[in-house]
Amino acid sequence: YYRGTESGIAVVNTEDEMINANVLSAVSMVPGLRQSNIQVGTLHGVVSLSGTVDSRATAQSVVQAARQVQGVRSVTYDLRIL
């Protein structure tokens, strides 16, 4: 597992919806990642990532991609490495 917090899984306002969509887009660009394996939620600018990845490097890339999205205040992640 690759778990931690960088700083809920609901989207409650328009800003969170936009952040969520942008994080999904950024995560989809991570090489070798099947996006369907990652779930993204945003609450007040805090992004939560969960799901499965192939390696620690991929997990780190997913977290980094999420952190770079404008409006993200912090990232919480629970990514299982297969």
Side-chain angles (χ1 to χ4, degrees), residues 26-69:
V27 165
S28 73
M29 302 303 283
V30 172
L33 178 72
R34 288 182 287 175
Q35 184 179 356
S36 62
N37 291 345
I38 301 294
Q39 293 77 48
V40 178
T42 305
L43 182 62
H44 305 298
V46 177
V47 173
S48 298
L49 303 170
S50 63
T52 58
V53 294
D54 294 336
S55 68
R56 180 182 271 291
T58 301
Q60 291 170 333
S61 294
V62 168
V63 172
Q64 184 64 24
R67 289 180 65 211
Q68 292 179 352
V69 171

